[in-house]
């Protein structure tokens, strides 16, 4: 049984048919990436999975439970965490306060402190800036914060929306290395990326989304060698 | 023309235009009746001549590295220029007979003020320019002083002038405790007498200077060397002193000032409530008067002995919880339709709701129920009777006997043995009790899980939802709790006045409450109190201000946004937000290996 199963999901923006029957699965312990161009429906798929958008048709099944009926905030306690696009840190709160809010639904106070310390171990940069306002940090630091904050909720599935967006290449490497490491510690990750080259390097499997439909799916290393993927998303002629 | 000269001319003329406007809108003449130093300096003089000193100060401080002579020259020039626009006004009155038809405030009193009471207005005007020039030099001199002198001098000047302006209050407090002759030697009809003014100024300067030159550090080291037990007891002593002070305050202040305190208390209550919605949860509610009106009307409907009240009117104490609950229910109802709205749209929707309530209160349709424009009369004052009053009498009467030796007292039983909250000093206890209760609740909320939830929503609603926060519930809760305090204020307000009319529930109340929160500091609980004193207390104390109240609100708000956008007593988060920009923005690329 997969951890997450998206089953023939249709979603609309008004009259625009944004998702035309998207189906995908994520097994426990995998990194699965969803790649595609602008407007392919990547973010819409994620919004549907996290309950920010209701699918008109189809189901999202997480851990044997149909979760499409729940409102957005209820998903966190069920074990789904999201790193929003454009990072979405609380700009006016400090790094530490951001992390504390990430653990908002948890009740084990003493462990939260430990987990915050663990976040600082993962990104020492954050530890140095724990009292600094999140909004005054660089883009890379904010992305680190967004990732660790999502982990603070102790999720079983981590959804990431374009973690490489707007970051310098050196920072993209740092973030992707971190994703790999989080995954090695047992976290299941669904990664939505435009940077197909990086995403396919760390992922186990990949889906290619085009105008609201999955057009291709395979192991990541196979996709990397696929001529159409190479031409369309990897810039290799 | 060189750059600096142009700057100085600009400074001087701006000061001049400000002076001119102060005169043309009538502030100068209105303020000329209040003496700061008896028979010598009025509040208008202070504004007028203060402008010249400020012009001189600014004119000189813009050129730091120049010689003393140049700076004096610039300061004097700026001071003189500050008088030029008013001089032109004086010339204009000579050639334009009917100027008062167009500018009603250009009255003889203003002209004589601006010409230093000279019979020949042209000579007087020129004299004013000269005086302004000299005062500009004073401003330069002040700018020349080292900071360690400047600080104590400006502090003590502010306090001395403050005591002069507020001499009414001081007289009110001191009159029962001092012989008439002593009082006469200290104060005139308004303002301090010249000698006490100078003495006070010198004394305060010395104290502030000592405090700055080591007193403060000595005091701090003394506090630091306290053992934990000493710290605890010193805390206990200061808290009990504060409580005693708050308890005897109305007898110290007298009826008039107690009433002003009650007005402040009413706005503190509303401010604390609105602060939950705006300051904590970031929901811009412009219809806060709704909750206040609901509290007041429910109180009236339950306790009035007129035809609108029930057959057996309720007691105040039973009605208060109902008023609070009713206001919370209104807040809840209001929250439901506007939940999806954000920012400006929310503000407009709540604004509309506030107006609906006012129109309903005034309407003929509801007249049989809530009295329409005639309002509801015969609302009894809150009182404690029977056994409770007897018990309290046993406690209060001996204290009062003791305090009466010092011309002081606290709440007392009347001849029937009841405790009535009828006059301002008695109502004060009601307001202080309610305010302290709401302060406590606000503080607890602020530091609670709910408070954190609101904080997250205020910062970013979508991300808050992604953190697992139920934003809908949190927003409804914010509106509901925010309304409670307004309902409480309304209930006490109705019992205080004894009658309520729709005109008491104007939009202006919502605006006032909003303004005091902003001036105090958004989201800050002490800020609400400071803001209420500044925006409600001061205009009430200085009756001259009343006419210019809205103007002063505007000036205060603009000034705050420019000089102290975080408010007079900002909350921690807000202060950091305003002052952290620009620091650490140039973050270096990360070289730390993960």
């Amino acid at each position: 049984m997969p951890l997450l199963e998206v089953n023939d999901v249709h979603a609309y923006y008004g009259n625009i048919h944004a998702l035309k029957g998207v189906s995908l699965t994520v097994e426990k312990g995998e990194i699965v990436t969803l790649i595609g161009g602008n407007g392919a429906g990547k973010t819409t798929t994620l919004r549907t999975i996290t309950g920010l958008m209701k699918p008109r048709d189809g189901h999202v099944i997480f851990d044997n439970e149909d979760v499409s009926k729940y409102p957005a905030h209820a998903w966190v306690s069920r074990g789904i965490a999201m790193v929003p696009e454009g990072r979405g840190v609380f700009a006016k709160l400090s790094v530490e306060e951001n992390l504390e809010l990430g653990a908002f639904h948890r009740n084990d106070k003493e462990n939260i402190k430990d987990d915050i310390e663990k976040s600082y171990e993962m990104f020492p940069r954050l530890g140095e800036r724990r009292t600094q306002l999140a909004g005054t940090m660089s883009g890379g630091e904010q992305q680190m914060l967004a990732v660790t904050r999502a982990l603070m909720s102790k999720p079983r599935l981590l959804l990431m929306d374009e973690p490489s967006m707007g970051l310098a290449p050196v920072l993209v490497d740092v973030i992707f290395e971190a994703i790999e490491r989080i995954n090695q510690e047992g976290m299941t990750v669904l990664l939505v990326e435009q940077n197909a080259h990086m995403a396919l390097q760390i992922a186990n499997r990949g889906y290619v989304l085009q105008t609201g439909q999955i057009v291709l799916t395979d192991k990541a290393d196979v996709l990397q060698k696929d001529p159409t993927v190479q031409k369309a998303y990897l810039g290799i002629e | 023309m060189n750059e600096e000269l142009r700057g100085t001319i600009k400074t001087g003329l701006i000061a001049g235009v400000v002076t001119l406007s102060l005169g043309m809108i009538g502030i100068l003449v209105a303020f000329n009746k209040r003496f700061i130093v008896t028979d010598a300096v009025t509040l208008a003089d202070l504004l007028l001549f203060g402008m010249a000193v400020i012009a001189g100060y600014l004119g000189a401080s813009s050129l730091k590295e120049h010689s003393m002579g140049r700076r004096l020259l610039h300061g004097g020039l700026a001071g003189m220029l500050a008088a030029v626009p008013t001089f032109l006004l004086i010339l204009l009155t000579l050639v334009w007979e009917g100027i008062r038809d167009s500018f009603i405030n250009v009255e003889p009193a203003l002209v004589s003020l601006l010409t230093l009471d000279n019979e020949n207005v042209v000579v007087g005007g020129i004299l004013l320019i000269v005086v302004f020039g000299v005062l500009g030099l004073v401003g330069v001199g002040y700018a020349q002083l080292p900071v360690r002198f400047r600080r104590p001098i400006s502090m003590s000047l502010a306090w001395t002038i403050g005591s002069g302006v507020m001499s009414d209050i001081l007289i009110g407090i001191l009159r029962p405790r001092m012989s008439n002759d002593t009082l006469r030697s200290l104060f005139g009809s308004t303002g301090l007498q010249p000698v006490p003014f100078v003495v006070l100024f010198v004394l305060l300067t010395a104290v502030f200077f000592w405090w700055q030159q080591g007193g403060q550090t000595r005091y701090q080291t003394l506090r630091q060397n306290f053992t934990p037990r000493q710290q605890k007891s010193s805390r206990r002593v200061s808290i009990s002193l504060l409580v005693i002070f708050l308890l005897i305050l109305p007898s110290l202040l007298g009826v008039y000032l107690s009433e002003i305190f009650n007005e402040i208390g009413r706005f503190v209550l509303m401010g604390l409530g609105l602060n939950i919605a705006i300051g904590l949860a970031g929901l811009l509610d412009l219809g806060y008067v709704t909750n206040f009106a609901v509290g007041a009307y429910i109180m009236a409907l339950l306790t009035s002995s007129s035809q609108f009240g029930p057959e057996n009117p309720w007691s105040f104490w039973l009605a208060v919880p109902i008023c609070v609950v009713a206001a919370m229910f209104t807040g809840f109802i209001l929250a439901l339709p506007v939940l999806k709205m954000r920012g400006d749209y929310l503000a407009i929707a709540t604004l509309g709701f506030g107006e609906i309530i006012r129109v309903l209160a005034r309407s003929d349709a509801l007249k049989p129920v809530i009295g329409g424009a005639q309002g509801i009369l015969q609302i009894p004052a809150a009182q404690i009777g029977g056994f409770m009053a007897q018990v309290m009498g046993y406690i209060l009467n001996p204290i009062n006997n003791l305090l009466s030796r010092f011309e002081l007292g606290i709440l007392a039983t009347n001849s029937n043995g009841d405790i009535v909250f009828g006059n301002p000093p008695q109502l004060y206890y009601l307001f202080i009790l309610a305010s302290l209760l709401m302060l406590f609740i606000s503080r607890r909320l602020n530091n609670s899980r709910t408070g954190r939830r609101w904080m997250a929503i205020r910062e970013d609603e979508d991300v808050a939802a992604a953190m697992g926060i139920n934003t809908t519930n949190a927003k409804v809760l914010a509106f509901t709790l925010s309304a409670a305090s307004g309902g409480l204020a309304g209930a006490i307000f109705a019992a205080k006045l004894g009658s309520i009319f729709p005109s008491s529930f104007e939009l202006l109340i919502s605006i006032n409450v909003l303004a005091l929160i902003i001036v105090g500091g958004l989201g800050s609980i002490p800020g609400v109190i400071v803001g209420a004193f500044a925006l409600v207390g001061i205009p009430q104390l200085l009756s001259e201000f009343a006419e210019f109240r809205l103007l002063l609100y505007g000036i205060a708000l603009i000034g705050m946004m420019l000089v102290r956008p975080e408010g007079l007593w900002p909350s921690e988060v807000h202060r950091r937000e305003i002052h952290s920009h620009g620091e650490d923005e140039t973050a270096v690329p990360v070289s730390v290996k993960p």
Side-chain angles (χ1 to χ4, degrees):
Chain A
M1 210 46 204
L3 184 64
L4 176 77
E5 189 181 345
V6 177
N7 207 338
D8 193 29
V9 161
H10 291 260
Y12 291 77
Y13 287 108
N15 284 328
I16 299 162
H17 199 170
L19 296 184
K20 302 167 187 161
V22 172
S23 297
L24 58 86
T25 58
V26 182
E27 300 284 342
K28 206 166 182 310
E30 273 189 316
I31 299 183
V32 172
T33 182
L34 186 61
I35 55 179
N38 276 333
K42 303 187 301 285
T43 299
T44 311
T45 311
L46 269 198
R47 285 174 66 86
T48 316
I49 296 176
T50 50
L52 287 170
M53 252 178 98
K54 294 265 168 282
R56 196 173 288 187
D57 232 330
H59 298 281
V60 179
I61 293 159
F62 178 71
D63 201 21
N64 289 331
E65 192 183 5
D66 187 345
V67 285
S68 4
K69 58 176 185 268
Y70 295 121
H73 61 87
W75 298 55
V76 179
S77 52
R78 287 186 167 70
I80 301 179
M82 162 104 155
V83 180
E85 187 180 0
R87 301 180 273 278
V89 296
F90 294 111
K92 296 169 192 169
L93 303 185
S94 71
V95 169
E96 190 131 338
E97 284 165 333
N98 265 279
L99 292 175
E100 281 168 6
L101 277 171
F104 186 81
H105 76 102
R106 285 168 60 181
N107 292 319
D108 48 339
K109 256 192 182 151
E110 47 300 345
N111 295 340
I112 291 176
K113 278 266 162 279
D114 290 346
D115 287 342
I116 288 179
E117 287 309 317
K118 267 185 216 156
S119 312
Y120 294 152
E121 277 166 37
M122 189 189 313
F123 294 114
R125 192 88 195 156
L126 293 181
E128 292 163 23
R129 307 189 157 227
R130 58 179 79 190
T131 57
Q132 192 177 325
L133 295 198
T136 63
M137 300 198 301
S138 74
E141 288 158 349
Q142 289 189 25
Q143 187 62 262
M144 294 174 198
L145 179 58
V147 173
T148 45
R149 187 185 58 187
L151 292 177
M152 286 300 294
S153 69
K154 291 251 174 221
R156 283 177 292 157
L157 172 66
L158 182 63
L159 307 176
M160 304 186 84
D161 197 356
E162 305 263 7
S164 75
M165 194 172 75
L167 293 188
V170 55
L171 287 170
V172 175
D173 286 343
V174 173
I175 297 292
F176 274 77
E177 276 172 42
I179 297 171
E180 262 189 301
R181 206 152 51 95
I182 295 162
N183 173 250
Q184 278 157 16
E185 286 166 11
M187 183 64 60
T188 313
V189 180
L190 175 59
L191 175 65
V192 166
E193 256 304 343
Q194 260 190 42
N195 187 341
H197 175 71
M198 289 297 290
L200 288 173
Q201 270 185 0
I202 64 165
N204 303 91
R205 291 188 299 118
Y207 289 87
V208 179
L209 195 63
Q210 213 170 53
T211 55
Q213 280 171 315
I214 302 281
V215 291
L216 198 59
T217 172
D218 213 323
K219 290 222 162 59
D221 43 353
V222 181
L223 283 181
Q224 264 177 316
K225 293 183 189 105
D226 186 284
T228 52
V229 173
Q230 282 190 342
K231 194 164 174 236
Y233 304 112
L234 300 177
I236 304 169
E237 288 290 331
Chain B
M1 205 192 304
N2 71 20
E3 194 71 23
E4 287 148 359
L5 194 60
R6 212 179 310 162
T8 305
I9 290 173
K10 199 170 131 197
T11 310
L13 285 180
I14 288 176
V17 169
V18 172
T19 317
L20 182 67
S21 344
L22 287 176
M24 299 278 277
I25 59 178
I27 283 191
L28 283 182
V29 173
F31 285 10
N32 203 25
K33 291 174 190 105
R34 182 174 288 267
F35 284 104
I36 295 172
V37 182
T38 311
D39 296 333
V41 182
T42 66
L43 197 55
D45 295 330
L46 184 73
L47 273 181
L48 186 65
F49 297 121
M51 209 57 78
V53 178
I54 292 172
Y57 176 80
L58 293 176
S61 54
S62 61
L63 37 145
K64 273 270 178 284
E65 62 275 14
H66 285 281
S67 69
M68 192 64 203
R70 287 282 302 270
R71 303 175 80 181
L72 283 173
L73 200 67
H74 276 262
L77 180 64
M80 284 164 81
L81 283 171
V84 167
T86 51
F87 181 63
L88 294 178
L89 176 71
I90 290 162
L91 293 183
L92 193 64
T93 57
L94 290 181
V95 293
W96 184 8
E97 289 288 330
I99 187 166
R100 275 205 75 183
D101 300 336
S102 301
F103 297 102
I104 190 154
N105 285 312
V106 185
E107 51 189 305
L110 178 68
V111 174
S112 92
L113 181 70
L114 291 178
T115 53
L116 307 173
D117 300 327
N118 237 302
E119 283 194 15
N120 186 335
V121 290
V122 178
V123 175
I126 293 170
L127 206 59
L128 186 77
I129 295 181
V130 175
V131 171
F132 263 50
V134 173
L135 288 169
L137 299 183
V138 173
V140 180
Y142 180 74
Q144 242 10 67
L145 281 176
V147 180
R148 78 195 146 96
F149 293 118
R150 212 153 64 189
R151 265 270 199 62
I153 288 178
S154 38
M155 291 270 284
S156 86
L157 201 60
W159 276 94
T160 320
I161 289 173
S163 336
V165 174
M166 301 286 172
S167 58
D168 284 359
I169 305 169
L170 295 174
I171 294 172
I173 294 173
L174 293 174
R175 193 187 295 283
R177 297 168 183 82
M178 235 178 217
S179 77
N180 234 348
D181 290 339
T182 339
L183 204 63
R184 278 266 157 268
S185 64
L186 289 176
F187 297 100
S189 57
T190 61
L192 280 162
Q193 296 281 13
V195 176
F197 185 88
V198 174
V199 172
L200 185 65
F201 173 66
V202 172
L203 221 65
L204 281 175
T205 311
V207 170
F208 283 124
F209 189 69
W210 170 81
W211 178 252
Q212 187 186 298
Q213 291 303 104
Q216 191 177 8
T217 37
R218 227 176 293 166
Y219 173 74
Q220 275 163 354
T221 40
L222 189 73
R223 292 287 308 249
Q224 271 162 10
N225 291 337
F226 273 0
T227 60
R229 241 183 82 194
Q230 275 174 318
Q231 262 172 18
K232 219 177 191 175
S233 48
S234 94
R235 223 182 116 77
R236 227 176 267 160
V237 168
S238 43
I239 287 181
S240 16
L241 280 179
L242 181 71
V243 170
I244 292 173
F245 177 70
L246 287 178
L247 284 177
I248 62 167
L249 194 60
S251 65
L252 198 64
L253 293 177
V255 174
Y256 174 61
L257 287 176
S258 295
E259 173 55 22
I260 292 176
F261 259 78
N262 293 344
E263 273 301 280
I264 295 173
R266 176 159 76 97
F267 276 92
V268 165
L269 276 178
M270 287 196 274
L272 286 173
L274 188 60
N275 191 39
I276 293 177
I278 298 184
L280 302 186
L283 305 165
L284 187 50
D285 179 355
L286 291 187
Y288 195 72
V289 70
T290 310
N291 309 311
F292 179 64
V294 167
Y297 267 98
I298 298 291
M299 175 55 77
L301 289 176
L302 289 178
T303 66
S304 168
S305 49
S306 68
Q307 80 257 34
F308 300 110
E311 254 169 62
N312 299 310
W314 295 36
S315 101
F316 172 82
W317 306 102
L318 282 177
V320 162
I322 308 291
C323 296
V324 172
V325 170
M328 288 171 78
F329 184 69
T330 322
F332 176 73
I333 296 291
L334 168 62
L336 294 181
V338 301
L339 269 180
K340 298 250 168 196
M341 298 179 187
R342 290 183 188 187
D344 313 351
Y345 304 102
L346 178 69
I348 289 168
T350 50
L351 185 71
F353 207 80
E355 282 299 282
I356 290 173
I357 288 287
R358 190 178 60 83
V359 171
L360 276 182
R362 201 184 281 268
S363 72
D364 284 337
L366 286 176
K367 198 169 178 183
V369 189
I370 57 171
Q374 272 83 50
I376 302 179
L377 310 175
Q378 297 168 37
I379 306 165
Q383 61 170 320
I384 303 174
F387 179 65
M388 205 43 203
Q390 233 171 1
V391 174
M392 286 177 73
Y394 281 129
I395 305 168
L396 294 175
N397 291 341
I399 302 177
N400 268 319
N401 286 339
L402 182 73
L403 287 173
S404 61
R405 286 184 217 165
F406 311 99
E407 300 286 342
L408 295 171
I410 54 173
L411 198 59
T413 53
N414 65 10
S415 48
N416 297 333
D418 297 335
I419 297 174
V420 184
F421 298 91
N423 61 27
Q426 294 161 340
L427 278 160
Y428 164 89
Y429 291 98
L430 221 48
F431 277 107
I432 200 91
L433 185 72
S435 302
L436 288 178
L437 180 74
M438 288 315 299
L439 268 178
F440 177 73
I441 294 175
S442 287
R443 263 186 71 112
R444 300 293 303 197
L445 277 175
N446 199 6
N447 299 328
S448 71
R449 247 177 103 71
T450 310
R452 300 171 65 79
R453 201 176 300 176
W454 287 333
M455 182 168 77
I457 291 175
R458 184 184 67 208
E459 301 305 331
D460 191 325
E461 218 175 303
D462 285 332
V463 184
M467 297 295 102
I469 292 166
N470 187 336
T471 52
T472 312
N473 282 358
K475 278 158 75 176
V476 172
L477 190 67
F479 265 115
T480 311
L481 289 178
S482 154
S485 194
L488 183 59
I492 302 177
F493 178 71
K496 172 189 161 194
L497 285 193
S499 50
I500 52 170
F501 307 98
S503 58
S504 307
F505 309 102
E506 300 271 329
L507 170 70
L508 197 59
I509 302 225
S510 303
I511 307 286
N512 278 357
V513 179
L514 180 64
L516 76 89
I517 293 181
I518 293 172
V519 167
L522 266 182
S524 154
I525 292 168
V528 171
I529 301 172
V530 175
F533 268 90
L535 287 193
V536 181
I538 291 179
Q540 297 259 355
L541 284 176
L542 301 173
S543 41
E544 292 92 336
F545 278 78
E547 204 178 326
F548 304 103
R549 186 176 182 150
L550 290 177
L551 178 75
L552 291 171
Y553 271 26
I555 294 175
L557 283 178
I558 295 171
M560 288 298 296
M561 289 305 114
L562 289 174
V563 181
R564 256 181 98 88
E566 72 271 33
L568 289 173
W569 191 320
S571 68
E572 187 53 36
V573 175
H574 212 60
R575 176 166 36 215
R576 274 185 325 195
E577 176 199 338
I578 304 259
H579 288 294
S580 67
H581 288 304
E583 295 164 23
D584 278 318
E585 287 222 87
T586 50
V588 251
V590 188
S591 54
V592 192
K593 276 270 173 261

